[in-house]
Amino acid sequence: MSENVTIREARAHLAEVVDKAEAGEVTVLTRKGKRVAALVPIEVLDALEEAADELAAREAERHRDDPTVGMAELLADLFEGGSKSGSKGEGDAA
């Protein structure tokens, strides 16, 4: 379970809030009654980062055999305002 505290309260008692995170507790910071951030144990952050890395690796693997586009082609397409399909951008003359 997490505890909600205002940013002002967290600032006034920062060492205690950090101690709670170190002990495995989550503290949710609020501003004007709205949840805006959380102070979490470092293990939670590490697990989130590992999960994000794993998700990115799986997504990359899914696209391993997709055709690639060279940087020059990508930049030319971006500056021309068109797409790879050859369609004209909004600002291009017909």
Side-chain angles (χ1 to χ4, degrees), residues 26-60:
V26 174
T27 302
V28 176
L29 305 179
T30 61
R31 178 182 287 141
K32 298 179 183 174
K34 182 179 177 186
R35 296 161 39 110
V36 295
L39 189 64
V40 301
I42 197 65
E43 296 82 12
V44 171
L45 177 62
D46 291 344
L48 285 171
E49 288 177 341
E50 285 179 30
D53 289 346
E54 177 65 25
L55 188 60
R58 288 180 185 183
E59 184 67 14

Side-chain angles (χ1 to χ4, degrees), residues 73-89:
E73 185 180 355
L74 176 64
L75 290 173
D77 191 50
L78 287 172
F79 286 114
E80 289 173 4
S83 67
K84 286 193 57 74
S85 63
S87 64
K88 298 276 186 187

